[in-house]
Structures are given as structure tokens and as C-alpha cells.
Amino acid sequence: MTKKKKVCIAMIVVIMIVVVVSLVFYLNYMSRVNKYQKTVSNMTFTNINISKIPNGTYVGDCDVNFIYAKVSVTVTDGVIVNIELLEHKNGKGAPAEKITDEIIQKQRLDVDAISGATNSSKVIIKAVENALINPL
């Protein structure tokens, strides 16, 4: 076998390895995306009677891999007086951060998601719920 043929075979083998490795990474990524999308679309929220929450500051989070939110929720006299977004890994979901103002204004978690940032909105709402129901 000539040197030229050996080099050609080696290059083909390297290309095949790169293609296989790329395919494995792609399939793993798509599996994670599918799991994330299902998690967010199946997310439900509990109707919390905020007036029964004792005074205090509660921390909660929600992680769906591609989006993560951690919040600090302050309740005084049965009213949410402050929601601080401690962390928000969001991709393009930064507009959803204003949903905390809506929760404070309406004093409930049943608020409309921010258009264009629906998934981040849901994750932030779930983090608030987790803070009030099951604080960290």
C-alpha cells in the first residue's frame, strides 16, 4: 500500500470519527432539549393562599436545564412585598424578569406569561411557588 493511500485512509477514518462524535453530541443535546420542553410544557402551579404565609423571606428555585431561576420572596402581613431575582439563567428570556412585578401587583401566581419569554416566565413563577411552599 502506498503512502498516499495510507494517508487517504487515515483521513477517512478521522472524518468518520468526527462525524460519529458530532452525531452523538447532537443526539444528546436534542434529547436534553426535548426533556426541557416537556418539563416546561407540563409545569403546573399551585393556588397558594398568600394571606396564610407567615411573615418572612423565603428562597426558592426552579431548574429545567436550559433555564434556571432563584428568587427571594418577602411576605409581610400576608402580602408579597418583594421578589428579588437572585439568579436567572435564561438564554433569550430576560424580558420575563418583569413578571415578578406582576405577581406582586396581583398577589397571586396565576399571571400571564411575558410574550416572547413564556418558558422563563414559567420558571420564575415556579421558583416563587417553590419559595413559598418549600423554601430552600
Side-chain angles (χ1 to χ4, degrees):
M1 191 178 295
T2 67
K3 185 174 181 174
K4 190 175 182 180
K5 278 188 175 183
K6 287 181 183 178
V7 169
C8 188
I9 290 172
M11 288 185 65
I12 290 171
V13 168
V14 167
I15 289 170
M16 289 175 63
I17 290 171
V18 168
V19 167
V20 168
V21 168
S22 297
L23 183 61
V24 168
F25 278 108
Y26 173 77
L27 292 174
N28 181 43
Y29 174 77
M30 291 310 294
S31 172
R32 289 177 48 224
V33 167
N34 187 34
K35 182 180 176 189
Y36 146 75
Q37 289 173 331
K38 282 183 182 178
T39 300
V40 173
S41 68
N42 293 330
M43 199 173 278
T44 60
F45 304 100
T46 304
N47 185 12
I48 299 172
N49 186 347
I50 295 167
S51 67
K52 302 228 183 222
I53 304 286
N55 290 349
T57 299
Y58 305 92
V59 175
D61 68 350
C62 180
D63 188 356
V64 294
N65 278 332
F66 291 92
I67 302 172
Y68 172 77
K70 184 175 184 179
V71 297
S72 172
V73 182
T74 303
V75 176
T76 304
D77 298 326
V79 174
I80 297 174
V81 295
N82 187 45
I83 301 173
E84 182 180 352
L85 193 57
L86 302 174
E87 195 173 342
H88 184 209
K89 179 180 86 172
N90 62 54
K92 297 179 181 179
E97 294 176 2
K98 64 185 174 185
I99 202 157
T100 57
D101 296 334
E102 190 80 9
I103 294 170
I104 293 169
Q105 178 187 352
K106 293 189 176 178
Q107 290 297 302
R108 64 177 197 249
L109 300 180
D110 182 22
V111 296
D112 291 334
I114 304 301
S115 179
T118 302
N119 291 348
S120 280
S121 296
K122 287 182 170 184
V123 169
I124 292 170
I125 293 168
K126 192 62 156 177
V128 172
E129 176 186 285
N130 290 340
L132 297 174
I133 292 177
N134 206 8
L136 296 176

